Amino acid sequence: MAPHPERQGAGAGGRSAFPRRELPAAAHGRTVGEEFGTALDTALVLHADHSFNASTFACREVASTRAHLYAAAAAGVGALSGSLHGGANAQVLKMLLELRDEKDIPGWVKAQLDAGKKIMGMGHAVYKTTDPRARFLKDMCSCLGKKLQQARWCRLSSEIEAAAVAEFSSRGKTTIRPNVDFYSAPVYHLMGIPGDLMTPVFAVARSAGWAAHIIEEKFGDAQGKPALYRPSSEYTGSYCGKTGCVYKPVGERK
């Protein structure tokens, strides 16, 4: 998809280095305002890199074998296919769509937690407070919602956030706060990006960070000399010892 000939972006020479501004335009089927391009640029930057998360580690591990950059990046894409790493904002969008007519958000949140279910987009493996990226996305959600006269999505997200934080706190879980996926879902939804494209858009953004890590691993002497990632492992199963093992035929095993 080529950049629009009448639009200027942040790239060298006044032309957009990527067709960023055209993605929301394509999603809406029409030309959109500059604020959409700025919002998408900001979202891509916020998602570009985030230390040694699962996909970035996968990229660096493959790069440590001296595999091609494309192969290492493909490992990152593969990691995103797992539900514990990729697709969270799509699940947040699914939650928002299901709750658009819900009158008792606090009651719904309580019922979810009582049933042992998750509130999508809440909590982070590293942050014990609100993900700093979520703060920017929340503001973007508010601005885009007002512009499109669809403020209900940001309002609904804020209601879920407030109810979830209150309910978690009442259960002694005071460190569970919104992560980057919580507000990126309504932001992308307002741009017209469907849920099943949210992970690919995340991969587009993260590819910059992946490439930086891969290049550092391959060419930046990150480890002083070429070295494979080879973590040690510790067997924690039951072991009968060097002389105490007795062979049992398959048919006799439990």
Side-chain angles (χ1 to χ4, degrees):
M1 184 186 297
H4 194 287
E6 297 179 2
R7 288 185 179 275
Q8 291 186 342
R15 285 182 60 87
S16 178
F18 304 99
R20 296 170 294 206
R21 284 163 170 70
E22 301 315 308
L23 181 55
H28 282 275
R30 58 181 172 80
T31 301
V32 296
E34 183 70 16
E35 65 273 15
F36 275 87
T38 300
L40 184 58
D41 275 345
T42 303
L44 293 177
V45 169
L46 289 173
H47 285 101
D49 190 34
H50 200 239
S51 69
F52 261 37
N53 53 82
S55 56
T56 298
F57 182 83
C59 289
R60 292 195 70 137
E61 192 279 330
V62 172
S64 77
T65 72
R66 293 301 179 259
H68 195 281
L69 186 149
Y70 291 169
V77 172
L80 281 182
S81 69
S83 61
L84 291 182
H85 185 46
N89 49 9
Q91 292 301 313
V92 172
L93 176 61
K94 181 180 178 182
M95 175 182 69
L96 293 176
L97 294 174
E98 291 175 350
L99 293 177
R100 54 187 161 188
D101 297 319
E102 177 62 50
K103 303 300 182 183
D104 184 13
I105 296 299
W108 177 87
V109 168
K110 185 178 185 304
Q112 283 286 105
L113 296 181
D114 286 344
K117 298 180 180 179
K118 295 180 179 181
I119 308 299
M120 299 309 299
M122 297 294 295
H124 193 274
V126 176
Y127 297 120
K128 303 307 177 185
T129 184
T130 300
D131 188 325
R133 299 168 297 176
R135 301 181 189 276
F136 291 95
L137 290 162
K138 185 175 184 178
D139 290 342
M140 290 163 56
C141 180
S142 179
C143 292
L144 291 175
K146 291 177 181 177
K147 176 69 176 181
L148 295 171
Q149 297 183 342
Q150 294 189 44
R152 61 173 180 158
W153 297 113
C154 191
R155 184 166 57 248
L156 175 58
S157 299
S158 296
E159 290 176 6
I160 297 171
E161 176 191 359
V165 168
E167 187 62 31
F168 279 124
S169 296
S170 72
R171 299 173 185 231
K173 300 178 180 179
T174 59
T175 61
I176 299 180
R177 295 290 189 272
N179 58 44
V180 70
D181 299 302
F182 191 83
Y183 281 103
S184 67
V187 165
Y188 286 155
H189 181 60
L190 288 168
M191 291 181 183
I193 299 173
D196 59 358
L197 287 183
M198 289 183 180
T199 300
V201 170
F202 175 86
V204 168
R206 188 52 61 88
S207 62
W210 289 344
H213 278 275
I214 293 166
I215 291 170
E216 181 184 56
E217 186 67 42
K218 287 173 66 71
F219 308 114
D221 296 326
Q223 301 190 65
K225 64 178 182 179
L228 285 168
Y229 278 31
R230 185 65 169 81
S232 60
S233 60
E234 181 180 350
Y235 178 69
T236 59
S238 177
Y239 179 47
C240 54
K242 295 182 179 180
T243 60
C245 296
V246 177
Y247 174 79
K248 288 186 179 181
V250 175
E252 298 179 9
R253 298 177 191 175
K254 294 181 180 180

